[in-house]
Amino acid sequence: MFTANTLYMHTRYSLVLATRNSGKVKEMRSLLNQLPLTLHAVSDFPDAPLVEEDAPTLKGNAHKKAEALFIHTGFAALADDTGLEVEALDGQPGVHSARFASPDATDGDNRRHLLAQLDGHGNRAARFRTVIAFVEQEGTHYFEGVCEGHILDAERGDGGFGYDALFQPVGYDCTFAELSREEKNAISHRGRAVRAFVAFLQRRYAR
């Protein structure tokens, strides 16, 4: 826990969330609400640069996004890149998860394309992987979270975003899209990565 002797005793720490995905913004705000942070989204900076996510790894894309926002705003920046890794597809879509069906694909397009790619496959094992990059004046730090599960034959649930309606985490009989935000955050890849980031800040500033 933060104490009266921490950095946050006299000022709130400003942090920019380097994403234009409204679903991610909501999740991240929920996950970080325990910290005395002033959170900004990219939408708070209309002239913020668009970052091409062309790195070959999740870590690379996360770093590109966070670094660009840090340079542009002067605030510490937090970015994540998340990929769905499906065993039967040799780890695809992975880093290309947001553009699996096409460069301009919607979430629905990507889910339909995934189901088509898995048609006839018996192995439906998959995992979500999130890598977070935190860029600040002192340097860059990385945090990772993984959630194991499998892909269903059809969508279930209307919550969440991305592939949530197809992903059933291990130990559950419902999809991410059927869980409440609190339930999902407790077990999700992004929740685990963010908790690692929170623990990092707590270790740094707790006295």
Side-chain angles (χ1 to χ4, degrees):
M1 295 293 294
F2 291 94
T3 71
N5 295 320
T6 69
L7 172 69
Y8 303 121
M9 179 62 183
H10 302 294
T11 183
R12 291 177 65 87
Y13 191 76
S14 289
L15 179 68
V16 184
L17 302 177
T19 180
R20 288 178 167 82
N21 184 312
S22 60
K24 281 188 180 181
V25 170
K26 289 178 181 177
E27 270 196 7
M28 295 292 275
R29 287 188 184 279
S30 176
L31 287 162
L32 293 170
N33 65 7
Q34 64 179 288
L35 297 178
L37 300 172
T38 297
L39 294 177
H40 303 279
V42 177
S43 58
D44 295 332
F45 304 91
D47 57 344
L50 288 170
V51 179
E52 185 176 2
E53 298 181 42
D54 57 357
T57 64
L58 300 175
K59 182 178 181 180
N61 281 331
H63 179 259
K64 284 189 68 174
K65 292 185 288 185
E67 183 177 55
L69 264 293
F70 170 70
I71 292 171
H72 179 76
T73 67
F75 293 137
L78 189 73
D80 83 278
D81 199 24
T82 294
L84 176 67
E85 302 171 350
V86 182
E87 286 189 5
L89 302 181
D90 297 322
Q92 293 186 68
V95 72
H96 303 294
S97 293
R99 305 169 297 279
F100 192 34
S102 72
D104 300 315
T106 64
D107 286 351
D109 294 335
N110 286 328
R111 291 193 296 269
R112 287 187 289 273
H113 186 61
L114 176 61
L115 289 176
Q117 293 295 303
L118 283 175
D119 187 37
H121 283 281
N123 180 10
R124 314 286 288 197
R127 65 197 55 82
F128 271 117
R129 186 184 307 277
T130 288
V131 177
I132 283 176
F134 173 54
V135 177
E136 58 173 350
Q137 190 66 43
E138 290 77 13
T140 302
H141 313 272
Y142 299 98
F143 310 91
E144 184 171 321
V146 175
C147 184
E148 302 284 347
H150 68 273
I151 304 300
L152 301 183
D153 294 324
E155 296 184 23
R156 283 187 4 215
D158 55 9
F161 59 96
Y163 298 91
D164 284 358
L166 291 174
F167 184 81
Q168 182 172 309
V170 169
Y172 287 74
D173 59 3
C174 53
T175 68
F176 269 171
E178 295 174 302
L179 294 174
S180 69
R181 183 179 300 165
E182 293 74 19
E183 289 170 327
K184 179 186 174 185
N185 286 345
I187 63 169
S188 75
H189 45 295
R190 188 171 292 107
R192 289 168 176 165
V194 171
R195 283 191 290 277
F197 166 66
V198 169
F200 163 78
L201 287 187
Q202 290 175 330
R203 287 194 302 270
R204 171 186 284 183
Y205 296 120
R207 295 290 185 269

